[in-house]
Amino acid sequence: MAISNINQLLIRNLEAFAATRPLLVNIADDGFIAQYLVQHNVTQLDSYHSNYAEYQAAKRIVNPRIKSHFCVEYQAKNQHDMAIIHFPKSKAEFSFTLAMLAQSMAKDATIIIVGENKGGIKSAEKLSSEYLEFCHKVDSARHCLMYVGKFKASLPHFDLQQFYKYYSIKVQEKQLKIAALPGVFSQNALDTGTEVLLAHLPKNMSGKVLDFGCGAGVISAYIATVYPETKLSLVDVSALALHSAQTTLTLNQLTGEYIASDSLSNVQERYNFVISNPPFHQGVKTHYAATEHFLAQIKQNLHKNSCVTIVANSFLKYAPIMEQAIGKTQTLAIEKGFAIYQCELNNKIEKNN
């Protein structure tokens, strides 16, 4: 596996990262963690991830000196004397991360922040001013920057609820309340792709429904409101998204099953309907692999009379993948720059048009 630019920058500073109990925050493992443990051979390392795929990769490291964590809110049992943070794609998520970590850090702990130039890292100093006494650039390489900082004393106790954004939407005469944490897709408003998808859902949905890449739970909340007899499974790779989706459904007096999964890795059941506004961005780069893998593998989780409906930017050619992997696929609509693709295994599903 090629070592990422961010981790190359970290590796060249390994000697400076001496700590007794450091915390890695959303640092993807491609060899850096192993090198860190060799360089600092008495360190007890914790690796926290809000991304389930990265968490699984860290868990595969066989070393008793590392503990991996996947959750929406990290809380340390023993305070850390250093944190190395991957600057997230969402600037609001950066503030969320700093606020969350403050209570888990020892006094005078060193805070390292790394990220790609085009990923927003240049705003780290300004964005961290509420939480850090200082935030200074200390190195740059491979189109990436590294900052060092220190937490202010006596920061407020972290309250997850204060970072939620709430808004209401009205879809096909149905009023829904939406809740989303920073970094979750459509945190501030209903996105156009989902709006188009909800107007072209299959009619008379029943049985088990899989919402792949559930985000804040908008799709599932609408389906459960219109078709209350359905049994919903909401899947996402993000701990923040899953917590948001659960909050959204609770706000609307709805329930579902919430599955953290790297694509379909933890999806075990078969479904009557699969609905998705699948992600095609990872970090700051366009990334299709997760969606293409989902479409290529989803047939194993379908009943014989199932229906798969997705929305995608119209320039993304997912229809041929669905045709080959699942079955005959039709384009239901192309609206506002988005296409609705549907594959019906029995070709008898009635649509809402």
Side-chain angles (χ1 to χ4, degrees):
M1 178 187 295
I3 298 178
S4 69
N5 288 341
I6 287 173
N7 283 355
Q8 288 182 53
L9 176 59
L10 290 175
I11 288 169
R12 79 185 223 157
N13 287 276
L14 270 176
E15 290 186 10
F17 297 153
T20 302
R21 196 169 195 92
L23 172 67
L24 304 183
V25 180
N26 291 320
I27 300 294
D29 179 54
D30 52 20
F32 167 71
I33 294 176
Q35 292 193 48
Y36 186 94
L37 291 170
V38 170
Q39 178 75 31
H40 304 287
N41 56 20
V42 295
T43 291
Q44 294 294 321
L45 181 69
D46 285 270
S47 182
Y48 161 72
H49 299 276
S50 59
N51 180 292
Y52 187 78
E54 293 179 358
Y55 161 70
Q56 288 293 95
K59 272 188 67 177
R60 287 192 285 269
I61 299 172
V62 182
N63 192 311
R65 293 193 291 120
I66 180 172
K67 292 183 179 179
S68 300
H69 311 268
F70 172 79
C71 52
V72 68
E73 180 180 353
Y74 178 78
Q75 294 179 317
K77 293 183 178 179
N78 299 292
Q79 288 191 316
H80 299 283
D81 53 350
M82 175 178 285
I84 303 176
I85 304 168
H86 180 186
F87 190 89
K89 62 181 180 180
S90 162
K91 293 180 179 180
E93 188 178 345
F94 180 55
S95 298
F96 169 89
T97 301
L98 291 177
M100 175 185 67
L101 293 180
Q103 62 201 46
S104 293
M105 305 308 297
K107 183 181 179 181
D108 295 327
T110 300
I111 308 301
I112 305 296
I113 305 160
V114 292
E116 296 185 9
N117 290 341
K118 59 184 178 181
I121 183 67
K122 293 179 181 180
S123 61
E125 185 175 358
K126 179 180 179 181
L127 294 174
S128 64
S129 61
E130 183 179 347
Y131 303 97
L132 302 184
E133 285 188 6
F134 61 86
C135 181
H136 299 151
K137 185 172 71 174
V138 292
D139 199 7
S140 62
R142 307 290 296 176
H143 309 292
C144 298
L145 295 175
M146 184 170 75
Y147 290 79
V148 63
K150 174 186 170 183
F151 272 112
K152 294 179 178 178
S154 304
L155 287 171
H157 184 78
F158 177 70
D159 182 0
L160 181 71
Q161 296 304 318
Q162 290 185 354
F163 285 87
Y164 262 103
K165 289 285 186 69
Y166 297 92
Y167 60 93
S168 296
I169 62 172
K170 188 175 184 180
V171 182
Q172 308 293 319
E173 304 304 316
K174 300 294 183 181
Q175 196 81 26
L176 297 172
K177 300 175 183 177
I178 309 301
L181 287 168
V184 176
F185 184 63
S186 292
Q187 190 200 11
N188 297 307
L190 177 65
D191 64 285
T192 303
T194 298
E195 180 184 7
V196 174
L197 174 63
L198 295 180
H200 294 278
L201 290 176
K203 191 175 181 180
N204 299 324
M205 296 175 68
S206 61
K208 294 180 180 180
V209 179
L210 177 67
D211 180 355
F212 179 82
C214 64
V218 177
I219 294 170
S220 284
Y222 178 75
I223 291 173
T225 300
V226 178
Y227 304 111
E229 299 303 315
T230 53
K231 181 181 178 182
L232 289 160
S233 293
L234 293 79
V235 174
D236 208 287
V237 74
S238 165
L240 277 66
L242 290 169
H243 197 280
S244 299
Q246 185 172 7
T247 303
T248 291
L249 264 62
T250 300
L251 281 174
N252 294 281
Q253 291 82 51
L254 304 169
T255 59
E257 175 190 24
Y258 308 93
I259 305 172
S261 185
D262 178 9
S263 188
L264 296 169
S265 64
N266 285 353
V267 178
Q268 305 298 328
E269 296 189 52
R270 292 181 180 270
Y271 295 90
N272 304 98
F273 294 87
V274 175
I275 310 294
S276 182
N277 181 356
F280 69 95
H281 281 87
Q282 181 170 299
V284 297
K285 299 177 181 177
T286 304
H287 188 83
Y288 312 100
T291 299
E292 292 179 355
H293 182 270
F294 152 66
L295 294 174
Q297 300 296 321
I298 188 59
K299 193 169 185 178
Q300 65 189 1
N301 296 104
L302 301 177
H303 287 298
K304 291 182 179 179
N305 60 345
S306 296
C307 178
V308 179
T309 308
I310 75 166
V311 63
N313 289 74
S314 55
F315 66 83
L316 297 174
K317 306 305 180 184
Y318 289 152
I321 299 174
M322 295 175 67
E323 188 91 25
Q324 181 177 5
I326 309 170
K328 186 176 180 180
T329 301
Q330 56 183 319
T331 301
L332 297 185
I334 299 178
E335 299 176 8
K336 302 178 182 179
F338 290 87
I340 306 294
Y341 302 117
Q342 186 173 89
C343 179
E344 308 166 19
L345 295 192
N346 66 353
N347 292 320
K348 295 180 182 178
I349 304 296
E350 186 178 358
K351 274 87 57 190
N352 283 325
N353 288 321

